[in-house]
Amino acid sequence: MIRTRFAPSPTGYMHIGNLRTALYEYFIAKHGGGKFILRIEDTDRERYVEGAVDIIYKTLEMAGMKHDEGPDIGGDYGPYIQSERKNDYMKYALELVEKGEAYYCFCTKERLEGLRLEGETGVKYDRHCLSLSKEEIEKNLKNGIPFVIRQKIRDGSTTFHDEVYGDVTVNNEDMEDQILIKSDGLPTYNFANVIDDHLMNITHVIRGNEYLSSTPKYNPLYEAFGWDIPTYIHVAPVMKDQHTKLSKRNGDASFQDLVAKGYLPKAIVNYITLLGWSPSENREIFSIDELIEIFDVKGISKSPAIFDPEKLKWMNGEYIKAQNFDEFYEMAEPVLKEAVKTEGIDLKMAAQMVKTRISTVYDIPALIDFIDELPEYDKSLYNHKKMKTNTENSLDFLKLIIPVLEKAEDWDNDSLYALMVNTAKENNLKNGQILWPVRTALSGKPTTPCGATELCVLLGKEESLRRLKEGIKLLES
């Protein structure tokens, strides 16, 4: 059975790249009828952020990814929080020491810092403690001298296969004897990954391609223990532009930020999945169930993907258009109530008008800001070549329609449209020669989320007639 794992560090927010990795892990597992595991990797206590684990749970829930096993669900493999598995890691590290695949290192921070000062940037550890005798090691341990446990990198080279990048060979001389167990007794990220992935029977490891260089360190550990090596799938990063990775430090949005800005979780999931993966079908809108069905590792690209905010806006708009109206209104109502203070306005009607014209609900206020107060506008807005209107004839058209509207008994869209169209016909005018001046006078804007008759209904008879008369005053000035 395919078993994948999402193993985030609780550092405060869900980075877009992390979410994409989780999605690929989820799709690979579910496409193959397998399980998706959540594991919290909290061994770096300096970066731990209170409440971050809850953010991880909430993000997965909002994104539609339900993990099959994890710290809040349980399972057959013990705690899913690394800091609670401290003894497990030390046990395996000591086994590697016994096998000659790892060794105690008692070097002080000062000595290590001296190596870096003496050498060039990126200088490797000089294996000073590798040559310590058994007696020296036992003496140091007995005296309580702080230590770490380092992996002994083998001679030669290491080759591994990746499903995206193919066979990758790395010269072992380029790798440092990495620390497996830190001085506080906790494992490093790399070592804990190997132990946990084995204990949890993880079959496929999906992660960023920045770990391509680390993978040759993992395989000798698997081999030393006699364990099966998982299938590796490394993915290229999500970029802000051609040269810069997305980063919270640079002000780039996290998943939580995007949701707060009005993006639908389903749209975010859809868009992020397509950052670095191409479906075989020539389409872009997919539900999460459809993505599970069609996801194929062969569609993952080696090239970095650039996050395009405008493309996300477009996709979010498509999701809003397809939304059930009641669902949309529930989301839009708080924004509408904040944007419209005039009593008696039918907010559901306003929502209906804007639904197909927005990218997020926060686009709504700019589309309906004319409701509370008619903005100051230039009479040139009455000029419309296609409608055959200008500042001169629009004055005549408004004077023609106002008396008709004043006598109107039914103030609904169909009745008002019939009145305006009939008035145009009776006076040998195009429909637009009545509708455009009315629309302009009611909104004071070059574009509106609806037509003239809808604006009349939205504003009501009294306010509509008042604005039409204001339009006459402007055109006469």
Side-chain angles (χ1 to χ4, degrees):
M1 176 189 289
I2 292 177
R3 289 175 61 88
T4 66
R5 47 76 170 167
F6 180 49
S9 298
T11 57
Y13 72 99
M14 184 70 78
H15 187 280
I16 293 301
N18 289 347
L19 178 59
R20 186 191 63 170
T21 299
L23 287 167
Y24 288 3
E25 291 165 340
Y26 183 76
F27 295 145
I28 289 169
K30 296 304 175 181
H31 179 79
K35 290 191 174 184
F36 172 65
I37 317 302
L38 174 63
R39 187 170 75 222
I40 305 299
E41 301 198 338
D42 62 342
T43 54
D44 189 344
R45 304 307 291 177
E46 291 182 3
R47 297 180 62 218
Y48 181 84
V49 174
E50 197 67 39
V53 174
D54 289 334
I55 291 176
I56 293 168
Y57 292 155
K58 185 66 173 177
T59 299
L60 293 179
E61 180 185 356
M62 293 179 70
M65 289 182 282
K66 183 178 180 181
H67 51 283
D68 299 294
E69 297 173 15
D72 59 335
I73 294 176
D76 299 329
Y77 303 92
Y80 289 79
I81 299 177
Q82 282 187 342
S83 61
E84 297 180 12
R85 301 163 63 85
K86 180 176 177 178
N87 293 335
D88 286 346
Y89 306 118
M90 180 62 79
K91 178 183 69 175
Y92 286 106
L94 293 177
E95 185 178 332
L96 289 173
V97 172
E98 288 294 319
K99 292 174 180 286
E101 299 285 351
Y103 59 95
Y104 289 100
C105 175
F106 299 94
C107 290
T108 63
K109 289 183 179 180
E110 289 74 21
R111 182 179 187 278
L112 296 174
E113 185 60 31
L115 287 177
R116 293 182 176 87
L117 291 175
E118 292 173 10
E120 299 178 356
T121 301
V123 67
K124 295 191 300 179
Y125 175 61
D126 62 357
R127 289 188 159 184
H128 173 75
C129 291
L130 179 60
S131 59
L132 292 178
S133 67
K134 184 176 180 180
E135 291 73 23
E136 287 177 293
I137 294 171
E138 289 178 353
K139 180 181 177 181
N140 288 341
L141 291 174
K142 184 177 180 180
N143 291 333
I145 296 176
F147 67 88
V148 299
I149 295 179
R150 290 182 180 271
Q151 178 183 4
K152 179 185 175 183
I153 297 297
R154 300 172 180 176
D155 294 333
S157 63
T158 299
T159 299
F160 69 95
H161 181 76
D162 179 81
E163 292 297 299
V164 176
Y165 290 87
D167 289 336
V168 179
T169 300
V170 175
N171 189 335
N172 292 356
E173 289 183 2
D174 296 332
M175 296 187 289
E176 184 176 18
D177 288 358
Q178 67 174 342
I179 294 175
L180 304 179
I181 299 292
K182 298 179 289 187
S183 58
D184 60 4
L186 288 173
T188 56
Y189 175 86
N190 288 334
F191 186 54
N193 262 274
V194 170
I195 302 304
D196 283 343
D197 286 346
H198 167 71
L199 293 178
M200 296 178 183
N201 291 336
I202 301 303
T203 62
H204 292 66
V205 172
I206 302 94
R207 59 189 175 211
N209 67 0
E210 65 268 25
Y211 291 104
L212 273 171
S213 60
S214 299
T215 302
K217 299 178 183 180
Y218 296 150
N219 286 8
L221 297 177
Y222 282 104
E223 292 167 356
F225 288 121
W227 296 341
D228 291 337
I229 296 173
T231 298
Y232 292 116
I233 301 168
H234 289 85
V235 295
V238 179
M239 307 289 285
K240 183 174 185 175
D241 52 43
Q242 293 287 350
H243 309 288
T244 312
K245 283 186 179 182
L246 283 179
S247 169
K248 185 73 170 178
R249 286 184 227 118
N250 296 332
D252 298 318
S254 66
F255 176 81
Q256 292 85 352
D257 293 332
L258 292 174
V259 172
K261 290 178 180 179
Y263 291 95
L264 299 171
K266 290 179 181 179
I268 301 171
V269 165
N270 191 159
Y271 177 67
I272 290 177
T273 300
L274 298 179
L275 289 175
W277 176 79
S278 299
S280 57
E281 302 177 43
N282 186 26
R283 52 186 280 220
E284 294 183 289
I285 306 297
F286 297 94
S287 69
I288 195 165
D289 288 338
E290 290 173 325
L291 288 169
I292 289 171
E293 184 178 347
I294 67 171
F295 196 85
D296 188 337
V297 173
K298 294 177 182 178
I300 297 176
S301 172
K302 297 179 183 178
S303 302
I306 295 177
F307 184 88
D308 182 356
E310 294 305 313
K311 184 64 176 286
L312 175 58
K313 281 184 180 179
W314 167 80
M315 186 168 286
N316 200 65
E318 294 300 301
Y319 269 82
I320 288 175
K321 288 175 187 175
Q323 249 186 335
N324 171 278
F325 178 75
D326 290 338
E327 187 179 327
F328 169 71
Y329 184 71
E330 182 180 353
M331 179 177 68
E333 185 180 19
V335 179
L336 287 161
K337 285 184 174 179
E338 182 65 27
V340 180
K341 302 301 183 185
T342 303
E343 292 185 7
I345 297 297
D346 186 341
L347 294 182
K348 284 194 173 182
M349 182 179 181
Q352 198 73 260
M353 291 175 179
V354 300
K355 185 173 182 290
T356 61
R357 297 172 178 265
I358 59 173
S359 298
T360 79
V361 289
Y362 296 109
D363 294 337
I364 292 174
L367 292 177
I368 61 173
D369 57 1
F370 63 88
I371 293 177
D372 281 348
E373 184 177 355
L374 181 67
E376 291 186 11
Y377 65 97
D378 192 275
K379 64 176 72 176
S380 62
L381 287 184
Y382 286 94
N383 295 324
H384 197 299
K385 188 174 181 180
K386 185 177 179 181
M387 300 294 183
K388 298 188 182 300
T389 62
N390 53 52
T391 54
E392 288 78 24
N393 62 18
S394 289
L395 176 61
D396 296 331
F397 300 151
L398 287 180
K399 288 182 176 179
L400 180 64
I401 197 61
I402 286 176
V404 176
L405 294 177
E406 286 177 330
K407 296 175 182 177
E409 295 181 1
D410 297 319
W411 200 261
D412 59 81
N413 190 60
D414 291 342
S415 300
L416 292 171
Y417 186 78
L419 282 176
M420 293 189 196
V421 169
N422 288 337
T423 301
K425 184 177 181 181
E426 290 168 2
N427 291 273
N428 295 317
L429 302 173
K430 291 182 171 290
N431 293 343
Q433 289 179 299
I434 295 292
L435 296 172
W436 182 257
V438 170
R439 183 175 177 174
T440 302
L442 293 178
S443 68
K445 295 173 70 91
T447 59
T448 58
C450 58
T453 54
E454 291 93 344
L455 289 175
C456 285
V457 176
L458 183 67
L459 294 170
K461 184 172 184 178
E462 182 179 345
E463 178 63 12
S464 295
L465 290 170
R466 187 189 72 79
R467 294 190 181 195
L468 293 174
K469 290 171 184 176
E470 286 293 321
I472 288 176
K473 289 180 183 178
L474 176 63
L475 290 169
E476 287 179 336
S477 62

